[in-house]
Amino acid sequence: MPDIRLKAGLFVCLLAGISLFLWLITSATIALIIFAIGLLVYLYIHITWLHQLNAWFKNPNLKSIPEGSGAWQDVFTNLLQYERNNLANQAQLSAAVERFNLTANTMPDGLVILSPSNEIEWCTPHAEKQLGLDLSTDQNLPIVNLIRDSQFIAYLVGKDYSEPFKLKSWQNPEVVFEIRLMPFESKQKLLICRDMTQLEKVDIMRRDFIANVSHELRTPLTVVGGFLETLTDMKGAVPDALKTYFAMMLEQTVRMRRIIEDLLALSTIESNNEAPDDIEINMASLLNTIKNDALNLSHGLKKAKHKVHLEADSNLNLIGGQDELHSAFSNLVSNAIRYTPPPSNGGRGEIFITWQLVNEQPVFTVRDTGIGILQQHIDRLTERFYRVDRGRSRETGGTGLGLSIVKHILIRHQAKLDISSEIGKGSTFSVVFPKARIAQQKVLN
Ligand code: ADP
C-alpha cells in the first residue's frame, strides 16, 4: 500500500500537471483558478474526513468506523486494526483477571493484599469468612482495626515474617489459623490465611500424648531410682561385683529422668498459648546468676575450670517472662560449657557472654571457644533430639532437647536465634529480641 505522503504528493503533482497543461492551452489565470479550486476541494475532503474521525472518537465502535478514501482509507484501516488488537488484548486481560479471581476464590486459603501502611486493598471471599472481613466496607481500613489480637499486631509491625503466626479465630476459639505474610510488589504485603484447626488438633493430641507418657513414666522412674540409690548407699546390700552395674543403672535412670523433665518442659511451653509474662527483667542480676551457674557447672564437670566473661549493658532491661528466659539463656550457656574443652583438656576454655544493643535491638550472645559445629548441622540443631555428637551429648548429661526448648521460648518472645560456628574454633549463639521488648528507663525525679 503506497505511503500517505506519496498519495498526497501524487495528487498535488496531478493537480499541478493539469494546471500547467491548462496554462499552455488557455491562460495562466485559468490555470491558477483551477489549481486553487483543486486545492480547496482537497482541503474540504480532508476536513470532512477529520470531522468524521472526530465524530467517531466520541462513540468509538468497531462497526461504525468510517471507510475513508484516498489517504484517509489507510488511516481508518490502521485505526480499525488498532481497535481490534485493543479489544483482543482487553478480552485477554479480562479473561486473565477472571481466571485469577476464580483461582483465588477456589483456594481454601484466604488471601488479603495489604498496602504499605497495612490497609486492606483486596481480599478473597475465603479471607472475608475466615477473618470476619467485609471488603465492601473494610477496603482501605487498617487491618489492625479489624484483627485486634495484640500478638498479631506485634507480628505485623515486627517485620520478621520468616515464621508463620498462629491466630485463634475470634468467632470460634476452637478454630486456629496460620497467618503468613509475604512482601508483595514494592511495599505491599500478601497475607495468606490457612485453617489449621485439624492439624492443630493432631498436634495437641501428639503433645498431650508425650506429656501423659512422660508424666506416667516419672513416678515409676523415681521409685526405681530411689531404690537403686538406697541399695547403693546401704553397706553390704550390693555385692562388690555388681556395684559397677548398679552405678550404671543409676546413671541411666538419672538420664531418663532428665529426658522426661525436658519433655515435660517442652510440652508445657509448646502448649502454652498465653503470651509470656510482660515484666521488666533485671538483666544484670539475671546474667550474674547465669554466669555463676555456668561456673558451678564447669566445676562440676570433672573439675573443669572454664573462664566465663560477662559484658552486659546494665541500663538495658528486657520485657518478658523471667523464668522462661532464664531457662533459655542458661541452656545456651550450659551448652557452651559442655561443648568447650577446658584448659585442663588442652582447650582455651573461654566463654564470652554479652548483652547489648545491636542495630537498636537487644541481643544476648554466648560465644565459646569449643569444638564448633559443621555448617550442615546448624539448621537442624533446634529439632527435638538432634545431636551432632550423641556420645558427647550423653557424656555431658545432654538430652537433645535443650535447643528445642530455647527455640519455643524465643518464638513466644518474638525473638530469633542466630547460630554461627567454625569447627575447632568455637560457636556463637545470639538471641535477637525485637526493639519493642526493651524496657523503658524509669526517669528519676
Ligand atoms: P544436648 O542436650 O544434646 O546438648 P541441645 O538441644 O542443647 O541438646 O543441642 C543440640 C546439639 O547441638 C548438641 O547435641 C550439640 O551437638 C550441638 N550444640 C549445641 N550447642 C553447642 C555448642 N555450644 N558447641 C557445639 N555444639 C553444640
Side-chain angles (χ1 to χ4, degrees), residues 262 331-340 366-368 370-374 377 380-390 392-394 396-406 419 421 426-429:
D262 274 2
N331 247 308
L332 295 177
V333 176
S334 83
N335 275 355
I337 299 273
R338 289 167 43 230
Y339 297 103
T340 300
V366 184
R367 179 166 70 82
D368 64 47
I371 56 174
I373 308 157
L374 278 175
H377 298 295
R380 303 194 56 192
L381 292 183
T382 54
E383 288 175 17
R384 290 179 188 85
F385 296 114
Y386 190 86
R387 281 170 282 200
V388 178
D389 179 346
R390 276 181 181 272
R392 191 177 184 111
S393 161
R394 214 169 284 151
T396 56
T399 59
L401 292 167
L403 290 181
S404 307
I405 296 176
V406 172
I419 309 172
S421 189
S427 317
T428 305
F429 287 73

Side-chain angles (χ1 to χ4, degrees), residues 14-24 27 30-32 34-36:
L14 186 67
L15 190 61
I18 292 171
S19 305
L20 271 176
F21 178 69
L22 285 175
W23 192 351
L24 287 179
S27 65
I30 291 179
L32 271 174
I34 292 296
F35 187 71

Side-chain angles (χ1 to χ4, degrees), residues 262-418:
D262 274 2
L263 275 173
L264 280 170
L266 186 59
S267 70
T268 309
I269 295 165
E270 267 190 314
S271 52
N272 188 353
N273 289 325
E274 301 294 311
D277 294 341
D278 274 349
I279 55 157
E280 179 173 345
I281 303 169
N282 182 336
M283 287 301 287
S285 140
L286 176 66
L287 294 176
N288 267 317
T289 313
I290 287 173
K291 181 184 169 179
N292 289 333
D293 291 349
L295 287 170
N296 288 338
L297 174 68
S298 167
H299 290 221
L301 278 179
K302 297 177 187 156
K303 296 268 171 279
K305 279 210 170 92
H306 293 87
K307 275 189 219 144
V308 182
H309 309 272
L310 170 63
E311 198 186 312
D313 179 344
S314 54
N315 291 321
L316 181 61
N317 279 349
L318 193 72
I319 300 285
Q322 167 131 4
D323 293 344
E324 288 185 24
L325 289 172
H326 185 163
S327 151
F329 295 158
S330 291
N331 247 308
L332 295 177
V333 176
S334 83
N335 275 355
I337 299 273
R338 289 167 43 230
Y339 297 103
T340 300
S344 55
N345 239 359
R348 254 182 79 188
E350 285 190 279
I351 316 290
F352 300 85
I353 305 171
T354 47
W355 169 245
Q356 61 198 359
L357 278 184
V358 179
N359 296 331
E360 297 183 23
Q361 285 182 279
V363 179
F364 170 82
T365 306
V366 184
R367 179 166 70 82
D368 64 47
T369 49
I371 56 174
I373 308 157
L374 278 175
Q375 194 59 36
Q376 76 229 40
H377 298 295
I378 288 184
D379 285 345
R380 303 194 56 192
L381 292 183
T382 54
E383 288 175 17
R384 290 179 188 85
F385 296 114
Y386 190 86
R387 281 170 282 200
V388 178
D389 179 346
R390 276 181 181 272
R392 191 177 184 111
S393 161
R394 214 169 284 151
E395 212 177 277
T396 56
T399 59
L401 292 167
L403 290 181
S404 307
I405 296 176
V406 172
K407 180 179 125 181
H408 281 94
I409 293 176
L410 299 191
I411 290 176
R412 284 168 53 71
H413 287 81
Q414 300 82 41
K416 68 177 185 20
L417 182 64
D418 286 339

Side-chain angles (χ1 to χ4, degrees), residues 71-92:
W72 284 95
Q73 197 176 10
D74 296 353
V75 173
F76 287 122
T77 311
N78 287 337
L79 198 61
L80 185 71
Q81 193 58 39
Y82 173 79
E83 199 51 25
R84 271 193 190 136
N85 289 346
N86 228 355
L87 281 179
N89 286 344
Q90 256 178 29
Q92 259 179 8

